[in-house]
Amino acid sequence: KAGVTQTPRYLIKTRGQQVTLSCSPISGHRSVSWYQQTPGQGLQFLFEYFSETQRNKGNFPGRFSGRQFSNSRSEMNVSTLELGDSALYLCASREGTADGYTFGSGTRLTVV
Amino acid sequence: QKEVEQDPGPLSVPEGAIVSLNCTYSNSAFQYFMWYRQYSRKGPELLMYTYSSGNKEDGRFTAQVDKSSKYISLFIRDSQPSDSATYLCAIDTSGTYKYIFGTGTRLKVLA
């Protein structure tokens, strides 16, 4: 089985721009989560989707949004980028609630 | 108080040593505990998943959960230079669909 695929791997954006990150979960996995990883804060939960429904959202401003499609693929969007949004954005998927999440390699976003 | 506390290290050990990595947590309702390994420039990789007190073994890795003390541990036997990575504990907050991660412990195994 292919793993969790995230595209692109690297992005450089300018303050004020917006960005869309993409995630393809492992085939058959319907739960997809997103995390932000920074050296100072570690891994912080952004949101979780299951069957196109957002079931939980972390403590991030409304500039951070996401969605899940009927094929379980997911995207997250960050609008009006700030320097502090520079981070590794990780997507993870799992088959059921009794399984651990499998993470992708992440998208490294740099805001300049 | 943070929900999950983990010593950030770094921890340096000689090859072949037994490594002990630890986390404490604050909420006694937590039931599911994970250990992840993260190499530089990679996503976290699931090593162990446990949901009860006691030990779970997988090759050179043993995960230990002590719910009475709210303490989880990962032991690595016969450590190898390839084990050099950051190890993250994670707790599945049942019903909220999110994990809470420790800050990670950087481990370096010296050849």
Side-chain angles (χ1 to χ4, degrees):
Chain A
K1 264 186 181 178
V4 177
T5 304
Q6 292 188 246
T7 56
R9 287 296 310 277
Y10 302 93
L11 265 179
I12 300 176
K13 289 287 188 178
T14 304
R15 270 183 305 175
Q17 287 187 311
Q18 77 165 26
V19 67
T20 299
L21 312 181
S22 181
C23 171
S24 292
I26 291 172
S27 178
H29 288 193
R30 293 196 289 167
S31 171
V32 174
S33 285
W34 289 87
Y35 287 80
Q36 181 197 66
Q37 187 174 31
T38 59
Q41 298 297 317
L43 276 144
Q44 301 283 308
F45 171 75
L46 281 158
F47 15 69
E48 192 268 356
Y49 290 90
F50 182 84
S51 292
E52 302 179 68
T53 299
Q54 184 183 89
R55 297 194 292 189
N56 199 358
K57 187 178 194 303
N59 294 326
F60 281 83
R63 301 184 295 107
F64 291 80
S65 63
R67 60 178 175 169
Q68 186 181 33
F69 302 96
S70 58
N71 61 359
S72 294
R73 194 176 68 82
S74 179
E75 289 181 346
M76 67 163 282
N77 184 277
V78 188
S79 62
T80 320
L81 284 165
E82 301 177 359
L83 295 178
D85 297 332
S86 296
L88 180 66
Y89 290 87
L90 292 157
C91 172
S93 72
R94 65 179 177 180
E95 189 169 4
T97 53
D99 305 304
Y101 274 107
T102 299
F103 281 83
S105 293
T107 294
R108 183 161 298 279
L109 172 65
T110 302
V111 182
V112 297
Chain B
Q1 183 188 7
K2 282 188 176 180
E3 291 181 284
V4 180
E5 302 264 14
Q6 184 175 11
D7 187 334
L11 180 62
S12 290
V13 300
E15 183 176 358
I18 297 175
V19 176
S20 172
L21 304 165
N22 310 294
C23 286
T24 59
Y25 61 95
S26 59
N27 190 333
S28 57
F30 293 154
Q31 296 183 47
Y32 300 90
F33 309 93
M34 275 96 15
W35 284 96
Y36 282 85
R37 176 176 64 193
Q38 188 174 22
Y39 292 112
S40 180
R41 303 182 192 282
K42 297 284 188 182
E45 172 193 5
L46 181 64
L47 285 176
M48 302 288 279
Y49 181 92
T50 59
Y51 54 87
S52 60
S53 282
N55 293 353
K56 180 178 180 180
E57 194 173 312
D58 185 359
R60 297 185 295 111
F61 299 92
T62 299
Q64 189 175 80
V65 176
D66 182 347
K67 288 188 176 180
S68 62
S69 302
K70 290 181 276 190
Y71 195 85
I72 58 175
S73 300
L74 179 71
F75 299 96
I76 307 173
R77 290 184 299 280
D78 187 25
S79 55
Q80 303 295 308
S82 58
D83 295 327
S84 298
T86 296
Y87 290 80
L88 299 141
C89 63
I91 294 176
D92 186 339
T93 58
S94 309
T96 66
Y97 311 111
K98 75 173 190 180
Y99 286 1
I100 299 173
F101 281 86
T103 51
T105 300
R106 280 177 47 205
L107 171 67
K108 186 163 188 176
V109 181
L110 305 170

